[in-house]
Every structure is written in structure tokens, then in C-alpha cells.
Amino acid sequence: SKRRGRNGWQAFTAELAEQQLQRLQLETHLRRAVYNDEFHLVYQPQVDLGSGRLVGSEALIRWRNRSLGEMRPDRFIDHAETTGDIVGIGRWVLREGCRQLRQWRDAGLAIDRIAINVSYRQFLSEDLIQSVREALDQSDLPGHMLELEFTERVLIEDDPDTHRAFDELRGMGVQLSIDDFGEGYSALNYLRRLPISGLKLSQLFIQGVPDNHSDVAVCQAVTGIASSLGLQVVAEGVETPAQRDFLLQLGITTGQGFLYAPGLPPDQFLQRYRAGAPD
Ligand code: C2E
Ligand code: CA
Ligand code: CA
């Protein structure tokens, strides 16, 4: 601000320099993180809201670095997009998520689907189709057991490459969902044009139901759009029985959230769901 004196200004620039240094540090470590085997995945169950039965799982990435500690994706995914490291990270996530699904199924767990987050830059890269194909082949999984979650940003660019990539993925049987649906862009046109199979109803709107009228209205609208277009809906961020009951009343049958479980390490996930679903 104008009121900053000379010392204030120096403190300000020092702060900026510090921030840049931290960023540089983070990006330097990030570059070697796949190679150094510093990532792992936790798995959040996706359940049938009526019965609590397991239907699938969303893989969520975690980064453990010796000097930076344990980090959630919010701290590094954007950086990885900027530097391009997301392409290699994304390839690793696909491979590891599919490997885990294969291992669970071999261990007798009744689970038919793994959902993987795909970022914008990763989607644009030449590498995506190839990575998906390799991940499925290596784990000997059919395409329909893999669901990719894209952000709306991927879809608004009405780009011929987007169409080609989506068609190719759908041709492999891969399920394609729109993450955080309703948060971002209002151009819903892409829903008609692209071979989408589902929507993730954003937790932003689940938080307010059943009391907040505008959140209720958004959930109703999304459900209406989805059912008239024949799209699957998964509600995310389900935290309370009241939210679950509201969703069931709306006709949304699948959800995930802290009411059921946070992201779990794979062995805990297996333990919890092997014997059948808790309520
Ligand atoms: P997202 O895809 O919307 O994932 C859901 C986030 O909400 C997760 O945070 C999850 O831990 C959290 N969550 C789950 N249930 C609840 C709930 O009931 N209440 C609340 N308040 N939160 C809940 P997380 O793991 O920190 O992931 C943050 C974001 O990072 C994800 O948002 C996703 O956009 C991105 N991300 C995660 N893993 C990957 C990945 O492998 N690749 C890419 N490109 N992005 C990823
Ligand atoms: Ca997601
Ligand atoms: Ca989401």
C-alpha cells in the first residue's frame, strides 16, 4: 500500500523473494518426485447411498518429501501443471490406480471401478491415451473399470482434439465424468456434444443441503439435467445422514464423503470392505 514506508517495502520485497524461493524449492523437488518414488495414493470409497455397499473408489494423490513433508494435492498440482511435470505424475497415477484395482480384485474384493483425476494440461498432452492404454494393459483391466474425472475447463474448449481424445477413450470403454460439476462454467453445451457418461456433483453444493435453498435448487437442477441426458451422478463430500437422505430423495444413488470414509491407504480400504459394506 501507499502507506508502506521504506522498511515496509523492503519487508514486502523480502517476502516476495522468500515466496519465490519456496516455489523454486518445491518445483525442484517436484521434478524428481516420480523418479524418487515419493507419491502414494489414498482411496476414497464410492458407495451406494441406500445400502452403503461399495461401488468404486476415487484415487487421491499424496506427496511425501523428505524436506517438505507430507503434502496434499492442492499444494502441488497447480505447480505441476505449470512446469509440465503433471504429465509424468498423471501417468504414474493411472498406472498405480489400475494396479491397485487389479490387486484388490485378485484379493477377492468386490469392486468394479477406479476413478482417477485428470488435470487440464495432462489432458492436452499427447501422452494421455497412450498412458491409459498402458495402464489398462499392464493391469489387465477392461476399459469400463476405469473412470476419468475431468474438470469443466477441459470441456469448454471446443477443440477437435478434445473430441478425438474423448471418442478414443470412449472407444476403449473408459468412463468419462465431469468433476466439481456446477462450480465453473455455465456453458452446458458440451454435455450434448461430448460422450460424457457422468457428473460429479460438487461438494460445494452438498454442504448446504437440505437447509440452504439455493444449494437445494442447484442439486435439483443438476439431477434434472443428468437424468434427461442419461448421465450418472456421483455426489461428493457427503458428510451427514441428512445430506445422504436428501440425495436419495432426489434420486441420486451414488456418493462419497467423510460420512463413509476419507481417502484410505489401500490395506485399510481392503480390510474395511472385504467382509462387506458397513452402513
Ligand atoms: P477432488 O477431485 O474434488 O477430490 C475431493 C477432495 O475432497 C479430496 O481432497 C478429498 O479428500 C476431499 N473430501 C472427500 N470427502 C470429503 C467430505 O466429505 N468433506 C470434505 N470437506 N472434503 C472431502 P484432496 O485429496 O486434498 O484432493 C484435492 C484435489 O486435488 C482433488 O479434488 C483433485 O482435484 C486434485 N487431485 C487429487 N488427486 C489427484 C491426481 O491424482 N491427479 C490430479 N490431476 N489431481 C488430483
Ligand atoms: Ca475428483
Ligand atoms: Ca470434486
Side-chain angles (χ1 to χ4, degrees):
S1 89
K2 281 187 188 151
R3 285 184 186 279
R4 261 184 222 279
R6 189 185 191 81
N7 291 334
W9 182 255
Q10 278 167 352
F12 179 64
T13 49
E15 203 177 291
L16 271 185
E18 172 65 23
Q19 274 173 17
Q20 295 224 2
L21 186 67
Q22 278 180 12
R23 185 174 139 205
L24 196 66
Q25 243 170 11
L26 187 113
E27 288 176 2
T28 306
H29 286 292
L30 197 54
R31 196 169 312 136
R32 301 186 56 77
V34 170
Y35 181 80
N36 288 341
D37 207 14
E38 292 173 355
F39 293 112
H40 66 281
L41 298 177
V42 295
Y43 298 87
Q44 185 171 42
Q46 298 182 321
V47 303
D48 178 82
L49 291 169
S51 64
R53 192 178 56 84
L54 182 69
V55 298
S57 173
E58 178 177 359
L60 299 164
I61 194 168
R62 299 290 180 264
W63 178 21
R64 197 180 290 137
N65 176 274
R66 240 173 6 130
S67 42
L68 301 173
E70 170 108 22
M71 284 164 288
R72 294 197 149 241
D74 297 334
R75 275 218 32 217
F76 61 85
I77 290 290
D78 286 351
H79 291 283
E81 285 232 11
T82 313
T83 60
D85 289 318
I86 192 67
V87 176
I89 296 172
R91 192 187 308 131
W92 178 84
V93 173
L94 275 163
R95 193 179 306 154
E96 177 60 16
C98 288
R99 191 198 61 74
Q100 187 60 63
L101 181 61
R102 163 53 55 206
Q103 188 185 311
W104 278 333
R105 289 176 62 81
D106 288 348
L109 187 66
I111 180 171
D112 292 328
R113 187 173 76 199
I114 183 88
I116 305 271
N117 292 285
V118 174
S119 78
Y120 183 62
R121 173 91 177 255
Q122 186 190 352
F123 178 77
L124 292 184
S125 82
E126 298 282 311
D127 197 64
L128 180 68
I129 306 284
Q130 184 60 23
S131 300
V132 167
R133 197 167 276 134
E134 275 174 18
L136 290 171
D137 282 353
Q138 279 176 8
S139 298
D140 194 21
L141 293 172
H144 67 83
M145 289 192 182
L146 176 64
E147 176 170 30
L148 301 181
E149 298 188 3
F150 300 91
T151 54
E152 285 177 87
R153 192 174 160 207
V154 166
L155 303 164
I156 43 148
E157 323 281 348
D158 189 16
D159 175 339
D161 289 345
T162 303
H163 283 258
R164 207 170 312 126
F166 270 70
D167 287 340
E168 208 159 331
L169 290 165
R170 287 298 291 152
M172 295 160 69
V174 172
Q175 308 285 306
L176 307 173
S177 282
I178 304 173
D179 207 351
D180 302 325
F181 184 76
E183 273 183 39
Y185 302 88
S186 54
L188 298 179
N189 245 334
Y190 57 73
L191 286 180
R192 291 193 290 114
R193 290 196 305 263
L194 291 163
I196 300 296
S197 43
L199 307 174
K200 298 284 297 274
L201 180 54
S202 170
Q203 58 188 350
L204 210 65
F205 308 113
I206 307 292
Q207 273 163 22
V209 301
D211 297 325
N212 181 295
H213 294 298
S214 56
D215 288 348
V216 168
V218 171
C219 290
Q220 286 169 335
V222 171
T223 310
I225 291 167
S227 77
S228 59
L229 295 175
L231 303 174
Q232 303 291 316
V233 178
V234 175
E236 62 175 30
V238 182
E239 294 182 351
T240 68
Q243 291 167 345
R244 175 198 61 203
D245 294 343
F246 169 84
L247 293 164
L248 280 169
Q249 265 177 21
L250 261 189
I252 296 178
T253 57
T254 310
Q256 60 188 86
F258 294 164
L259 177 62
Y260 302 96
L264 300 169
D267 50 333
Q268 275 179 39
F269 191 101
L270 180 63
Q271 242 170 39
R272 183 159 178 166
Y273 286 100
R274 158 186 272 156
D279 4 82

